[in-house]
Amino acid sequence: MLDLASTILCSVSAFIILSNSILMLLASLSRARPLELSRSGVQSKVEVAIVVPAYREGPFIHYVIQSLKEVDYPKNHLKLVIVGEEDDVETYREIEKLCDVRSDHIDCGGIRGIYIVNTSGERGKPAALNFALKYVDADIVGFYDAEDLVHPKHVSIAVELLEDSSVAAVQFVREVAKIPGALGEAQAADFYFYYMVLQPFLMRYTGLAEICGSAFFIKSSLLKETGGFNTNSPAEDLDLTYRLGALGLKVLLALPPSTTRPIASTSSLIKQRARWIRGGILSIPTGFSAAPRSIPLMLITGFMPITTVTSSLTLLLGVVALLTGSTLTLSKYAIVALVFACVLGASSVLASNLGKTRMLRYLAIMSFVYYLASWRALVELFTSPRSWTKSQSKA
């Protein structure tokens, strides 16, 4: 019985990890790249709104506001909507230092807009964004976190790409600001592999790169027609990606990148990744509505974290078998397959242009973070499956 249970669990792990490793290897060998357009001084008359959720972002809100002031797009066709919460005076005071504020109206370097307080009765980023959508009357809406840097060409590039009726959204590459220390470097390696290797591959062959919560633009009418953001999802961005994919629309990935701040502590990073993992697993049913285009993305975000449980249980059963003197005849073959799948995954990193063993070291750190985060996500699936937790301790 132990042998059969171990074989089943190990086979499930091996199949998922092998599929993911093949996907990563193909992505590494494909040399697919994000879209890169060179435009400047665009005089488009398309109205664009920029929405920034800013709850307790006093130390970081200057990043997005200062970079917005340098955007290469007619400022009279831009509107800034910052949405906060009632108990956050600190962020509002910081906005007063950076912009000309008159009541709820703000002017940040010629970009006019409003500061609103989320009075929907629901907390969390998805609820705040949905509340902000009521104040958006532009053709296109972009979303940034408070600590993000907006590249001067982002708006004009997004406007051009969204002229295509088959394109629903444009996600810009995200990169992590360089800070000293292995944890910061590990996050940078993780983002690089995802945004410069995996995501471009998904865009090229499925037309469905992932919307990643920040530094993305979407047609306002389409977002509102599809019901906005799912407040019951811990990964409202992934949920939106699948719903757009189910309509047969494309999500593109583009350069230049947006720079964001890394998480400063291991515990906060595990907490953040646990929410991502929990959201990925809960989004699997929605993902099937966009199949087969969504299957690679579901594999990465939904099924891979499950192998943390199946492979750990396989190891546990192996220990029990040794202690009880049971034989594991069938599972030996499954274990060999599992080891091969893991080796292939490491080879896919070496096949990319990531700096070889140095990047392997940093990705190994992130693998450990994801392992712990997967177990936390599993517990949260039973205790608080739909909660949306804010990322803390940013550098």
Side-chain angles (χ1 to χ4, degrees):
M1 192 67 178
L2 277 177
D3 190 24
L4 179 61
S6 178
T7 300
I8 292 173
L9 289 171
C10 193
S11 297
V12 169
S13 299
F15 178 76
I16 295 174
I17 294 174
L18 179 62
S19 300
N20 187 71
S21 297
I22 292 172
L23 176 63
M24 291 195 300
L25 183 60
L26 291 174
S28 298
L29 296 175
S30 75
R31 306 302 184 191
R33 289 273 301 171
L35 300 176
E36 193 165 10
L37 283 69
S38 56
R39 297 193 69 185
S40 60
V42 176
Q43 297 301 312
S44 175
K45 294 183 179 180
V46 174
E47 300 292 328
V48 180
I50 304 294
V51 175
V52 179
Y55 178 57
R56 300 201 182 282
E57 297 288 1
F60 305 102
I61 192 72
H62 66 278
Y63 286 107
V64 69
I65 289 179
Q66 296 287 22
S67 60
L68 268 174
K69 294 178 181 179
E70 305 301 321
V71 166
D72 185 14
Y73 194 81
K75 291 184 171 57
N76 60 319
H77 292 296
L78 282 174
K79 180 180 180 180
L80 175 62
V81 180
I82 302 177
V83 53
E85 302 286 348
E86 289 182 324
D87 58 345
D88 184 14
V89 178
E90 179 189 7
T91 302
Y92 184 77
R93 293 286 178 259
E94 191 63 29
I95 294 171
E96 287 183 312
K97 298 176 184 177
L98 299 166
C99 306
D100 180 15
V101 179
R102 299 181 183 181
S103 184
D104 58 346
H105 293 278
I106 56 179
D107 186 325
C108 302
I111 301 177
R112 297 182 179 182
I114 55 173
Y115 176 87
I116 56 175
V117 174
N118 175 20
T119 57
S120 67
E122 293 185 90
R123 301 296 290 265
K125 183 178 177 180
L129 295 180
N130 282 341
F131 185 79
L133 285 178
K134 300 176 182 178
Y135 297 84
V136 171
D137 54 3
D139 304 297
I140 293 171
V141 57
F143 297 89
Y144 287 89
D145 288 337
E147 67 272 17
D148 289 341
L149 294 179
V150 185
H151 191 278
K153 296 185 184 297
H154 274 181
V155 178
S156 59
I157 289 174
V159 168
E160 180 179 356
L161 291 174
L162 287 170
E163 288 177 354
D164 188 334
S165 60
S166 68
V167 177
V170 176
Q171 171 68 56
F172 283 97
V173 169
R174 301 183 72 205
E175 63 180 15
V176 174
K178 294 186 182 299
I179 63 169
L183 192 63
E185 292 280 2
Q187 292 173 72
D190 187 39
F191 269 47
Y192 184 93
F193 192 79
Y194 193 64
Y195 286 99
M196 297 300 292
V197 180
L198 280 174
Q199 280 265 53
F201 180 78
L202 295 181
M203 177 186 65
R204 176 184 290 184
Y205 292 102
T206 71
L208 200 63
E210 182 190 0
I211 294 174
C212 295
S214 182
F216 76 94
F217 290 76
I218 186 172
K219 295 169 182 174
S220 301
S221 59
L222 180 61
L223 179 57
K224 293 176 181 179
E225 287 169 9
T226 53
F229 297 94
N230 184 357
T231 57
N232 288 321
S233 175
E236 78 290 341
D237 41 11
L238 179 61
D239 180 271
L240 177 60
T241 303
Y242 289 146
R243 285 187 282 130
L244 295 174
L247 296 174
L249 298 171
K250 297 177 183 177
V251 176
L252 303 181
L253 179 74
L255 287 167
S258 169
T259 303
T260 191
R261 310 302 299 175
I263 302 296
S265 72
T266 304
S267 60
S268 294
L269 184 60
I270 291 171
K271 183 179 179 180
Q272 181 198 60
R273 295 312 201 252
R275 175 173 61 79
W276 292 3
I277 291 168
R278 177 162 45 91
I281 294 172
L282 290 172
S283 295
I284 289 175
T286 307
F288 277 115
S289 67
R293 298 170 63 206
S294 59
I295 290 176
L297 190 52
M298 290 168 62
L299 176 64
I300 299 167
T301 61
F303 291 113
M304 263 302 289
I306 295 174
T307 62
T308 297
V309 178
T310 54
S311 58
S312 296
L313 289 177
T314 299
L315 179 62
L316 179 61
L317 289 176
V319 172
V320 171
L322 287 174
L323 293 176
T324 59
S326 303
T327 57
L328 298 177
T329 306
L330 291 173
S331 60
K332 290 179 181 178
Y333 300 103
I335 291 171
V336 171
L338 179 59
V339 172
F340 173 76
C342 293
V343 171
L344 184 63
S347 300
S348 67
V349 176
L350 292 174
S352 67
N353 56 351
L354 280 182
K356 308 297 181 181
T357 54
R358 178 173 171 269
M359 283 297 175
L360 273 178
R361 184 176 79 235
Y362 291 134
L363 289 176
I365 294 174
M366 287 306 301
S367 295
F368 181 67
V369 168
Y370 280 117
Y371 179 82
L372 296 178
S374 295
W375 280 110
R376 177 176 178 134
L378 179 66
V379 172
E380 291 175 345
L381 281 172
F382 291 97
T383 58
S384 54
R386 301 290 177 179
S387 66
W388 203 103
T389 51
K390 175 180 167 61
S391 300
Q392 303 291 341
S393 184
K394 287 172 282 191

